[in-house]
Amino acid sequence: MSAITADFIADQNRVRLADHREDFDALARKLARRGLDPETLVKDAMAFAVAVPSWGVGTGGTRFARFPGPGEPRNVFDKLADCGVINTLTRLTPTVSPHIPWDKVKDYAELREAAKSHGLAFDAVNSNTFQDQAGQPLSYKFGSLAHTDKAVREQAIAHNIECVEIGRALGSKALTVWIGDGSNFAGQSSLARAFDRYLDSTAAIYRSLPNDWRMLLEHKLFEPAFYSTVISDWGSSYLAAQHLGPKAQCLVDLGHHAPTVNIEQIVARLARFGKLGGFHFNDSKYGDDDLDAASVSPFRLYLVFHELAEATRTIGPSFAPAYMIDQSHNVTDPIESLMQSAIEIARARAQAQLVDAEALAAAQETNDALTAHRLLKAGFLTDVSPLIAEARLRAGGALDPIATYRASGYRAATARERPAVAAGSAGIV
Ligand code: RM4
Ligand code: MN
Ligand code: MN
């Protein structure tokens, strides 16, 4: 496989360096005029990281079809190679969030080493009880952790406990639990008892969780169940996290809300009560569209990061949600989409650091609505491209990751070296 070397990146950067310097210096002067220290902001941008989902490097699909791309990863080792490219070029994604059993292997020490050889480590492990796996004794057709049959619930609990064991071998510190449980008919399921069963099952998983681990409960409005979903909203996940204890927190997937829901307000609420555990970044217009982060609503992503910046100021360094991307790439090269998304997430975060928090608080206290709005928007209206490019450059990444990737010929090489297989593990996500 054509590895993307430091020399290759440096060669690619060289042709862009003069323009970059000019742009960065102009931005630095602008920021300094606003009383901001560009150097601090670059260092802060360099400290940011977001995990890529192992399933994201395969081509996604819809309920109708999946159109595989050339050189798709055939197994988790190929996925790690692709994730390595994303981080090498962007320096934003040093960790991978695995999905079990999609990423199951015999030897996890070997998998951990393979990740290390690509400069990667593992982030939150995702369990999967929304599908039946070959050879699985009991079906999840009617649910998993909230199933009416105790034996099915026990199978789903055992799977989650196995995920924790795998995660320990991989050096992970969090388990993300998203279930598809719900119902398609009014009356099909007892809304009250289904939640009780979920609480009992997650409590069993919680008891097996190491003390330095977190359990991230991910809610989703609908789909695959279309009438009711057991963990449908942040209220349900908050109640469950509260019931389980301090190691349980809520995970906010940006695509898992009704279209008009104010997600940034949910972020503020959960952070305030110590229950904001993590994010799945993506974008959406209608539902769980799994579009690329900030491709439709960059302002919403910015507003989320504004709340996160505020929570960091209030709570301090102990506030450390797990940041992950969770999106489905149907029409793009997944490596390019993930690089672009990581950059857009870093952009929104960097922009949110530009808000004059004191002035904003003062405007809010005096009910000066328009001043408050303008102060908040100031970050979003600033093009921080040169700032986040400078952070990448200093960390050894590419000034233009997508152009550099295209110039490397990596995809053509994978197309030659990875003959197409009948079914990839990343299907409809
Ligand atoms: C779900 C949810 C989960 C992800 C699966 C593949 O909609 O977002 O986080 O693991 O898709
Ligand atoms: Mn998700
Ligand atoms: Mn989803």
Side-chain angles (χ1 to χ4, degrees), residues 220 253 256 288 290 326 429:
K220 178 172 173 176
D253 181 313
H256 288 191
D288 188 25
D290 277 323
D326 180 14
V429 297

PDB file of all heavy atoms in Angstrom, residues 220 253 256 288 290 326 429, ligand 3:
ATOM      1  N   LYS A 220     -32.140   7.900  20.139  1.00  0.00           N
ATOM      2  CA  LYS A 220     -32.497   8.145  18.734  1.00  0.00           C
ATOM      3  C   LYS A 220     -34.007   8.176  18.618  1.00  0.00           C
ATOM      4  O   LYS A 220     -34.694   7.301  19.132  1.00  0.00           O
ATOM      5  CB  LYS A 220     -31.901   7.055  17.847  1.00  0.00           C
ATOM      6  CG  LYS A 220     -32.258   7.208  16.384  1.00  0.00           C
ATOM      7  CD  LYS A 220     -31.487   6.220  15.521  1.00  0.00           C
ATOM      8  CE  LYS A 220     -31.991   6.297  14.092  1.00  0.00           C
ATOM      9  NZ  LYS A 220     -31.237   5.451  13.182  1.00  0.00           N
ATOM     10  N   ASP A 253     -26.082  12.107  19.404  1.00  0.00           N
ATOM     11  CA  ASP A 253     -25.812  11.976  17.965  1.00  0.00           C
ATOM     12  C   ASP A 253     -26.619  13.082  17.302  1.00  0.00           C
ATOM     13  O   ASP A 253     -27.839  13.161  17.477  1.00  0.00           O
ATOM     14  CB  ASP A 253     -26.253  10.582  17.494  1.00  0.00           C
ATOM     15  CG  ASP A 253     -25.979  10.340  16.011  1.00  0.00           C
ATOM     16  OD1 ASP A 253     -26.305  11.223  15.197  1.00  0.00           O
ATOM     17  OD2 ASP A 253     -25.474   9.261  15.667  1.00  0.00           O
ATOM     18  N   HIS A 256     -30.008  12.440  15.578  1.00  0.00           N
ATOM     19  CA  HIS A 256     -31.024  11.622  16.243  1.00  0.00           C
ATOM     20  C   HIS A 256     -32.127  12.421  16.923  1.00  0.00           C
ATOM     21  O   HIS A 256     -32.638  12.041  17.967  1.00  0.00           O
ATOM     22  CB  HIS A 256     -30.354  10.688  17.254  1.00  0.00           C
ATOM     23  CG  HIS A 256     -29.583   9.587  16.599  1.00  0.00           C
ATOM     24  ND1 HIS A 256     -29.087   8.503  17.277  1.00  0.00           N
ATOM     25  CD2 HIS A 256     -29.236   9.393  15.308  1.00  0.00           C
ATOM     26  CE1 HIS A 256     -28.464   7.691  16.445  1.00  0.00           C
ATOM     27  NE2 HIS A 256     -28.524   8.215  15.240  1.00  0.00           N
ATOM     28  N   ASP A 288     -32.354  10.810  10.670  1.00  0.00           N
ATOM     29  CA  ASP A 288     -31.005  10.290  10.889  1.00  0.00           C
ATOM     30  C   ASP A 288     -30.330  10.115   9.533  1.00  0.00           C
ATOM     31  O   ASP A 288     -30.057   9.009   9.090  1.00  0.00           O
ATOM     32  CB  ASP A 288     -31.113   8.944  11.630  1.00  0.00           C
ATOM     33  CG  ASP A 288     -29.744   8.423  12.065  1.00  0.00           C
ATOM     34  OD1 ASP A 288     -28.834   9.245  12.233  1.00  0.00           O
ATOM     35  OD2 ASP A 288     -29.599   7.201  12.224  1.00  0.00           O
ATOM     36  N   ASP A 290     -27.383  10.972   8.462  1.00  0.00           N
ATOM     37  CA  ASP A 290     -25.960  10.608   8.456  1.00  0.00           C
ATOM     38  C   ASP A 290     -25.168  11.304   7.363  1.00  0.00           C
ATOM     39  O   ASP A 290     -24.273  10.727   6.750  1.00  0.00           O
ATOM     40  CB  ASP A 290     -25.784   9.077   8.354  1.00  0.00           C
ATOM     41  CG  ASP A 290     -25.901   8.412   9.713  1.00  0.00           C
ATOM     42  OD1 ASP A 290     -25.432   9.010  10.703  1.00  0.00           O
ATOM     43  OD2 ASP A 290     -26.469   7.311   9.786  1.00  0.00           O
ATOM     44  N   ASP A 326     -19.987  10.045  13.290  1.00  0.00           N
ATOM     45  CA  ASP A 326     -20.820   8.888  12.932  1.00  0.00           C
ATOM     46  C   ASP A 326     -21.651   9.281  11.726  1.00  0.00           C
ATOM     47  O   ASP A 326     -22.702   9.903  11.862  1.00  0.00           O
ATOM     48  CB  ASP A 326     -21.731   8.501  14.114  1.00  0.00           C
ATOM     49  CG  ASP A 326     -22.608   7.300  13.773  1.00  0.00           C
ATOM     50  OD1 ASP A 326     -22.320   6.636  12.765  1.00  0.00           O
ATOM     51  OD2 ASP A 326     -23.569   7.036  14.510  1.00  0.00           O
ATOM     52  N   VAL A 429     -25.884   2.425   7.597  1.00  0.00           N
ATOM     53  CA  VAL A 429     -25.667   3.050   8.895  1.00  0.00           C
ATOM     54  C   VAL A 429     -26.352   4.398   8.864  1.00  0.00           C
ATOM     55  O   VAL A 429     -26.379   5.168   9.691  1.00  0.00           O
ATOM     56  CB  VAL A 429     -24.170   3.193   9.281  1.00  0.00           C
ATOM     57  CG1 VAL A 429     -23.535   1.834   9.400  1.00  0.00           C
ATOM     58  CG2 VAL A 429     -23.423   4.028   8.254  1.00  0.00           C
TER      59      VAL A 429
HETATM   60 MN    MN B   3     -27.584   7.140  13.638  1.00  0.00          MN
END
